[in-house]
Amino acid sequence: MEEKIDIIIPTFKPQQEFADLLEALENQTVRPNKIIVMNTEEKYFERLKYGRKRIRKYPNVEVHHLSSREFDHGNTRNQGVKKSNTPYFVCMTQDAIPEDALLLEKLLEPLLSGEAAVSYARQLPKPGCSPVECFIKGFNYPETSCLKGQEDMEELGIKTFFCSNACAAYDRGVFDELGGFIRHTIFNEDMIYAAGVIKSGRKIAYAAQAQVLHSHNYSWLENFHRNFDLGVSQADHPEVFKGIRSETEGVKMIRQMTGYLKETGNGRLILPMLWGSGWKFLGYRLGKLHTWLPKSFVKRCSMNRKYWQ
């Protein structure tokens, strides 16, 4: 595969996983042209034992620092893309680790064939992942690849736009044509962009053979905050999300997860799962109603409190 690609990775207080990610990217069958790191707060990056000296090991890595006040989910990635000059690029997060050397090759295939304008990888649970999170990963990232377009809206609803930039590849020409990621958003910049792709008549590819290890054992409170921000993003962008069902997908997942926990001998986790799901739903509904709530309360509910400054 001759096409050159760049990788854009926003970082904040990167840990050892980030070094593992760089090493894995260097050993891909499709080697990145550049790895563009958009790091928030230089002091945290330089404290790491694999900071500046370790980065010199990878001559194709370039690091750009910004302050926490400058960081924005969409615009920071846009700035990274502007530093790239390849026809395709991949967005990743600092804790998404390639499962094998074929990640970039498989991720690019739907773009090179012209089938899709963006493709996203399958996310697998990391060792130590909770049974609940393992099920959620399998629910959102099944074993079978697919293409999604406008014709799938009625059947898939909001999942038509699902496209996580924890690991996703983009056609640069389409990206520029559609204006890139939204400049200022609390969350969900990847799905908002994906919605633009679908509405432009193009397709999104889910590349199940492109795999990364990426999971979190969030507490019920962390999930409350995340889902509050999810609700805010949907309320703030009715041009994308209005009239598209999403809650029914959550109900379907809970029903299937209950059966999964019983079948795998983890029935004791059903009540905690329902408790956590209730907090997720509460956070989501409050986020959708955030314009009606006191700003001080909204800040306490949000995971991204700097957004409200």
Side-chain angles (χ1 to χ4, degrees):
M1 191 179 293
E2 297 181 357
E3 291 288 0
K4 290 184 177 181
I5 62 163
D6 289 335
I7 315 292
I8 289 90
I9 310 174
T11 60
F12 178 59
K13 297 183 179 180
Q15 303 299 317
Q16 179 60 39
E17 283 179 317
F18 180 59
D20 297 338
L21 169 57
L22 293 180
E23 188 69 27
L25 289 175
E26 289 295 322
N27 291 298
Q28 292 288 300
T29 55
V30 175
R31 193 169 182 271
N33 179 56
K34 287 195 298 185
I35 300 174
I36 301 164
V37 179
M38 301 298 291
N39 178 69
T40 301
E41 297 297 346
E42 183 174 3
K43 61 183 178 181
Y44 298 121
F45 194 89
E46 293 301 326
R47 288 176 187 172
L48 298 172
K49 65 180 180 180
Y50 58 86
R52 189 177 296 277
K53 291 182 179 179
R54 184 74 176 269
I55 290 297
R56 291 197 189 107
K57 177 182 176 183
Y58 308 104
N60 62 337
V61 174
E62 59 179 57
V63 183
H64 304 272
H65 298 290
L66 58 147
S67 70
S68 59
R69 292 184 66 85
E70 293 174 299
F71 175 80
D72 177 81
H73 286 287
N75 199 44
T76 296
R77 288 174 170 86
N78 285 339
Q79 294 303 312
V81 175
K82 287 180 180 178
K83 300 178 189 304
S84 167
N85 58 7
T86 55
Y88 306 97
F89 66 90
V90 174
C91 283
M92 299 187 72
T93 53
Q94 66 189 45
D95 58 349
I97 312 301
E99 170 71 354
D100 56 36
L102 297 175
L103 170 69
L104 298 181
E105 179 179 331
K106 295 299 182 182
L107 201 57
L108 281 173
E109 283 179 355
L111 277 62
L112 295 175
S113 69
E115 292 179 296
V118 55
S119 66
Y120 65 103
R122 184 183 184 193
Q123 296 184 23
L124 303 173
K126 293 179 180 178
C129 186
S130 71
V132 170
E133 178 65 14
C134 283
F135 176 85
I136 293 172
K137 285 299 178 188
F139 184 86
N140 288 328
Y141 301 94
E143 296 180 355
T144 305
S145 300
C146 69
L147 280 173
K148 299 183 291 186
Q150 287 181 331
E151 65 277 10
D152 300 303
M153 291 284 294
E154 185 174 348
E155 178 184 353
L156 297 179
I158 200 168
K159 289 201 81 171
T160 311
F161 303 152
F162 185 73
C163 180
S164 172
N165 64 11
C167 185
Y170 296 83
D171 182 307
R172 176 65 183 273
V174 176
F175 187 83
D176 289 344
E177 178 189 327
L178 297 180
F181 295 118
I182 189 167
R183 266 58 176 178
H184 184 57
T185 183
I186 191 169
F187 195 53
N188 235 16
E189 76 289 339
D190 44 11
M191 283 185 68
I192 294 170
Y193 175 78
V197 169
I198 294 293
K199 291 180 179 181
S200 74
R202 299 177 175 93
K203 292 185 182 293
I204 296 168
Y206 167 55
Q209 299 307 308
Q211 301 177 357
V212 291
L213 297 172
H214 184 244
S215 60
H216 301 277
N217 291 324
Y218 288 125
S219 69
W220 63 266
L221 184 58
E222 288 171 322
N223 276 319
F224 170 84
H225 291 314
R226 283 178 58 82
N227 280 267
F228 180 87
D229 289 355
L230 175 63
V232 169
S233 73
Q234 292 190 14
D236 286 352
H237 296 282
E239 75 282 2
V240 174
F241 299 106
K242 187 176 181 180
I244 300 176
R245 69 182 191 276
S246 57
E247 289 91 340
T248 52
E249 194 67 19
V251 172
K252 176 183 174 182
M253 184 175 68
I254 289 172
R255 287 176 177 169
Q256 292 186 12
M257 196 187 319
T258 300
Y260 166 81
L261 292 174
K262 288 179 180 178
E263 292 170 4
T264 56
N266 290 295
R268 69 189 185 283
L269 299 178
I270 293 175
L271 284 179
M273 179 270 292
L274 293 174
W275 169 264
S277 297
W279 280 101
K280 283 183 181 181
F281 182 72
L282 177 61
Y284 172 74
R285 293 303 301 169
L286 287 174
K288 294 270 279 189
L289 298 170
H290 74 94
T291 57
W292 297 87
L293 303 174
K295 193 164 185 179
S296 59
F297 179 72
V298 167
K299 286 183 178 180
R300 289 198 296 271
C301 291
S302 178
M303 176 172 278
N304 186 5
R305 297 185 181 183
K306 289 186 174 65
Y307 175 80
W308 305 98
Q309 293 177 357

